[in-house]
CSV table of all heavy atoms in Angstrom, one decimal:
chain,number,residue,atom,x,y,z
A,13,ARG,N,-6.0,-16.3,-37.9
A,13,ARG,CA,-6.6,-16.8,-39.2
A,13,ARG,C,-7.0,-15.6,-40.0
A,13,ARG,O,-6.6,-15.4,-41.2
A,13,ARG,CB,-7.7,-17.7,-38.9
A,13,ARG,CG,-8.1,-18.5,-40.1
A,13,ARG,CD,-9.1,-19.6,-39.8
A,13,ARG,NE,-8.9,-20.2,-38.4
A,13,ARG,CZ,-9.7,-20.0,-37.4
A,13,ARG,NH1,-10.8,-19.3,-37.5
A,13,ARG,NH2,-9.4,-20.5,-36.2
A,14,THR,N,-7.8,-14.7,-39.4
A,14,THR,CA,-8.3,-13.5,-40.2
A,14,THR,C,-7.1,-12.6,-40.6
A,14,THR,O,-7.2,-11.9,-41.6
A,14,THR,CB,-9.3,-12.7,-39.5
A,14,THR,OG1,-8.9,-12.5,-38.1
A,14,THR,CG2,-10.6,-13.4,-39.4
A,15,ALA,N,-6.1,-12.6,-39.8
A,15,ALA,CA,-4.9,-11.7,-40.2
A,15,ALA,C,-4.1,-12.4,-41.2
A,15,ALA,O,-3.2,-11.8,-41.8
A,15,ALA,CB,-4.1,-11.4,-39.0
A,16,GLY,N,-4.3,-13.7,-41.4
A,16,GLY,CA,-3.5,-14.5,-42.3
A,16,GLY,C,-2.1,-14.7,-41.8
A,16,GLY,O,-1.1,-14.7,-42.6
A,17,VAL,N,-1.9,-14.9,-40.5
A,17,VAL,CA,-0.6,-15.2,-40.0
A,17,VAL,C,-0.7,-16.5,-39.1
A,17,VAL,O,-1.8,-17.0,-38.8
A,17,VAL,CB,0.0,-14.1,-39.1
A,17,VAL,CG1,0.1,-12.8,-40.0
A,17,VAL,CG2,-0.9,-13.8,-37.9
A,18,ALA,N,0.4,-16.9,-38.6
A,18,ALA,CA,0.3,-18.1,-37.7
A,18,ALA,C,0.0,-17.7,-36.3
A,18,ALA,O,0.3,-16.5,-35.9
A,18,ALA,CB,1.7,-18.8,-37.7
A,19,PRO,N,-0.7,-18.5,-35.6
A,19,PRO,CA,-1.0,-18.2,-34.2
A,19,PRO,C,0.2,-17.7,-33.4
A,19,PRO,O,0.1,-16.8,-32.6
A,19,PRO,CB,-1.5,-19.5,-33.6
A,19,PRO,CG,-2.0,-20.3,-34.8
A,19,PRO,CD,-1.1,-19.9,-36.0
A,20,SER,N,1.3,-18.4,-33.6
A,20,SER,CA,2.4,-18.0,-32.8
A,20,SER,C,2.8,-16.5,-33.1
A,20,SER,O,3.3,-15.8,-32.2
A,20,SER,CB,3.6,-18.9,-33.0
A,20,SER,OG,3.9,-19.0,-34.4
A,21,THR,N,2.7,-16.1,-34.3
A,21,THR,CA,3.0,-14.8,-34.7
A,21,THR,C,2.1,-13.8,-34.0
A,21,THR,O,2.5,-12.8,-33.4
A,21,THR,CB,2.9,-14.6,-36.2
A,21,THR,OG1,3.7,-15.6,-36.8
A,21,THR,CG2,3.4,-13.2,-36.6
A,22,ALA,N,0.8,-14.1,-34.1
A,22,ALA,CA,-0.2,-13.3,-33.4
A,22,ALA,C,0.1,-13.1,-31.9
A,22,ALA,O,0.1,-12.1,-31.3
A,22,ALA,CB,-1.6,-13.8,-33.6
A,23,SER,N,0.5,-14.3,-31.3
A,23,SER,CA,0.8,-14.3,-29.9
A,23,SER,C,1.9,-13.3,-29.6
A,23,SER,O,1.8,-12.5,-28.7
A,23,SER,CB,1.2,-15.7,-29.5
A,23,SER,OG,1.7,-15.7,-28.2
A,24,VAL,N,2.9,-13.3,-30.5
A,24,VAL,CA,4.1,-12.5,-30.2
A,24,VAL,C,3.7,-11.0,-30.3
A,24,VAL,O,4.2,-10.2,-29.6
A,24,VAL,CB,5.2,-12.8,-31.3
A,24,VAL,CG1,6.2,-11.7,-31.4
A,24,VAL,CG2,5.8,-14.1,-30.9
A,25,VAL,N,2.8,-10.7,-31.2
A,25,VAL,CA,2.3,-9.3,-31.3
A,25,VAL,C,1.8,-8.8,-30.0
A,25,VAL,O,2.1,-7.7,-29.6
A,25,VAL,CB,1.2,-9.2,-32.4
A,25,VAL,CG1,0.5,-7.8,-32.3
A,25,VAL,CG2,1.7,-9.4,-33.7
A,26,PHE,N,1.1,-9.7,-29.2
A,26,PHE,CA,0.6,-9.3,-28.0
A,26,PHE,C,1.6,-9.3,-26.8
A,26,PHE,O,1.6,-8.5,-25.9
A,26,PHE,CB,-0.7,-10.1,-27.6
A,26,PHE,CG,-1.9,-9.7,-28.4
A,26,PHE,CD1,-2.2,-10.5,-29.5
A,26,PHE,CD2,-2.6,-8.6,-28.1
A,26,PHE,CE1,-3.3,-10.1,-30.3
A,26,PHE,CE2,-3.7,-8.2,-28.9
A,26,PHE,CZ,-4.0,-9.0,-30.0
A,27,SER,N,2.4,-10.3,-26.9
A,27,SER,CA,3.4,-10.4,-25.8
A,27,SER,C,4.6,-9.6,-26.0
A,27,SER,O,5.3,-9.2,-25.0
A,27,SER,CB,3.8,-11.9,-25.6
A,27,SER,OG,4.7,-12.3,-26.7
A,28,GLY,N,4.9,-9.3,-27.2
A,28,GLY,CA,6.1,-8.5,-27.5
A,28,GLY,C,7.4,-9.2,-27.2
A,28,GLY,O,8.5,-8.6,-27.0
A,29,LYS,N,7.4,-10.5,-27.1
A,29,LYS,CA,8.6,-11.2,-26.8
A,29,LYS,C,9.6,-11.2,-28.0
A,29,LYS,O,10.8,-11.4,-27.8
A,29,LYS,CB,8.2,-12.7,-26.5
A,29,LYS,CG,7.5,-12.9,-25.2
A,29,LYS,CD,8.4,-12.8,-24.0
A,29,LYS,CE,7.7,-13.1,-22.7
A,29,LYS,NZ,8.5,-12.9,-21.6
A,30,THR,N,9.1,-11.1,-29.2
A,30,THR,CA,10.0,-11.1,-30.3
A,30,THR,C,9.6,-10.0,-31.3
A,30,THR,O,8.5,-9.5,-31.2
A,30,THR,CB,9.8,-12.5,-31.1
A,30,THR,OG1,9.8,-13.5,-30.2
A,30,THR,CG2,11.0,-12.7,-32.1
A,31,ALA,N,10.6,-9.6,-32.1
A,31,ALA,CA,10.3,-8.5,-33.0
A,31,ALA,C,9.3,-9.0,-34.1
A,31,ALA,O,9.3,-10.2,-34.5
A,31,ALA,CB,11.6,-8.1,-33.7
A,32,VAL,N,8.5,-8.1,-34.5
A,32,VAL,CA,7.5,-8.4,-35.6
A,32,VAL,C,7.5,-7.2,-36.5
A,32,VAL,O,7.7,-6.1,-36.1
A,32,VAL,CB,6.1,-8.5,-35.0
A,32,VAL,CG1,5.1,-9.1,-36.1
A,32,VAL,CG2,6.1,-9.4,-33.8
A,33,SER,N,7.4,-7.5,-37.8
A,33,SER,CA,7.4,-6.3,-38.7
A,33,SER,C,6.1,-5.5,-38.5
A,33,SER,O,5.1,-6.0,-38.1
A,33,SER,CB,7.4,-6.9,-40.2
A,33,SER,OG,6.1,-7.3,-40.5
A,34,ASP,N,6.3,-4.2,-38.7
A,34,ASP,CA,5.2,-3.3,-38.5
A,34,ASP,C,3.9,-3.7,-39.3
A,34,ASP,O,2.8,-3.6,-38.8
A,34,ASP,CB,5.6,-1.9,-38.9
A,34,ASP,CG,6.4,-1.3,-37.8
A,34,ASP,OD1,6.6,-1.9,-36.7
A,34,ASP,OD2,7.0,-0.2,-38.0
A,35,ALA,N,4.2,-4.1,-40.5
A,35,ALA,CA,3.0,-4.5,-41.4
A,35,ALA,C,2.2,-5.6,-40.7
A,35,ALA,O,1.0,-5.6,-40.6
A,35,ALA,CB,3.5,-4.9,-42.7
Side-chain angles (χ1 to χ4, degrees):
Chain A
R13 198 171 324 112
T14 47
V17 300
S20 54
T21 305
S23 170
V24 164
V25 168
F26 287 99
S27 73
K29 291 281 184 188
T30 315
V32 190
S33 78
D34 283 352

